[in-house]
Amino acid sequence: MATQTSAQEPVTQPRAVVPEAAVGTTQSDQGPDGTINVRTDTYQVTGSSYKDLWSSVQRAAMENGPEMGIGEASISFQPRANFEEGQGGCVASDVAVDMNAVLTFPEWHHTGEAAANATAAFDRMLAYLRVHEAQHVEIAREYRAKMIDAIKTLPAATSCEGMRAAVQKAALAINALHQKAQRRYDVEQRKMSTELFGREG
């Protein structure tokens, strides 16, 4: 549920379509302002009973570290532009920002028949994670658009070297705001995720 990169109201339905929670599934959008790639990855959890499954999830969360928890959206931006020098100075044209997101979900492996409450709890958790990570993608899309606008509205620089530096500075500033928005969303949602999975359904 963590991510690596305006307060959001609690999300009850996906605001973005994300790939199925299966390793290697990819969704791509391409346009004149860049490409958005969303790919999924998984890690394994085990146990046939609710207790064993929940212990496996908690153990995996500890091993994954606080930056990941039980799910993760790892997001990066790659701004690009052409630099054109004229009488008024150097400007950035054909501005685009590529966005890459890797969404990580738990994948349940168990032997024998799983307990009904374990199945219900895992299904509930996975459904929540799909909504949660979809919202991380939506937040990233919002800040990608802000990054494009920030670069497009930069004034001309005296040199193209200066313009490249201005583009980088603008991109870093927007990415810092993006990171804050993603962390704020995680904080708001953390308690909900524990309550959803931490009951024996």
Side-chain angles (χ1 to χ4, degrees):
M1 297 165 328
T3 95
Q4 295 179 354
T5 60
S6 59
Q8 304 290 328
E9 294 186 2
V11 178
T12 55
Q13 294 294 327
R15 291 179 53 197
V17 177
V18 297
E20 292 296 326
V23 65
T25 310
T26 304
Q27 170 195 335
S28 295
D29 296 323
Q30 188 167 6
D33 60 356
T35 301
I36 298 174
N37 289 310
V38 183
R39 184 173 63 84
T40 58
D41 199 359
T42 61
Y43 66 92
Q44 291 187 11
V45 293
T46 60
S48 297
S49 69
Y50 177 89
K51 180 180 178 181
D52 289 345
L53 174 60
W54 183 227
S55 294
S56 179
V57 169
Q58 290 179 311
R59 186 165 55 253
M62 291 179 62
E63 292 172 354
N64 293 335
E67 290 300 317
M68 178 170 168
I70 61 174
E72 181 187 36
S74 179
I75 297 166
S76 63
F77 300 113
Q78 292 82 38
R80 49 189 170 87
N82 292 322
F83 298 91
E84 300 177 355
E85 200 158 10
Q87 290 185 343
C90 186
V91 297
S93 64
D94 301 321
V95 175
V97 175
D98 297 325
M99 182 182 112
N100 291 293
V102 180
L103 310 182
T104 303
F105 299 95
E107 185 176 5
W108 186 17
H109 291 258
H110 60 85
T111 57
E113 186 174 351
N117 59 350
T119 300
F122 185 80
D123 289 347
R124 189 166 60 240
M125 179 181 69
L126 190 57
Y128 168 78
L129 286 175
R130 282 176 53 76
V131 174
H132 181 93
E133 305 308 343
Q135 183 62 8
H136 277 307
V137 172
E138 282 298 288
I139 293 170
R141 285 177 183 269
E142 176 187 344
Y143 280 87
R144 171 181 172 272
K146 291 178 185 288
M147 189 178 292
I148 292 170
D149 289 343
I151 295 172
K152 283 183 174 180
T153 55
L154 287 171
T158 55
S159 68
C160 286
E161 182 179 349
M163 195 65 203
R164 286 188 180 90
V167 167
Q168 183 179 28
K169 183 177 179 180
L172 288 173
I174 296 298
N175 191 53
L177 295 175
H178 167 245
Q179 295 288 351
K180 288 181 180 178
Q182 297 284 20
R183 286 194 294 268
R184 185 162 55 243
Y185 175 67
D186 269 336
V187 168
E188 292 169 353
Q189 295 286 301
R190 189 163 290 128
K191 182 178 179 182
M192 182 188 299
S193 66
T194 301
E195 290 176 349
L196 277 171
F197 188 66
R199 66 177 193 266
E200 297 191 29

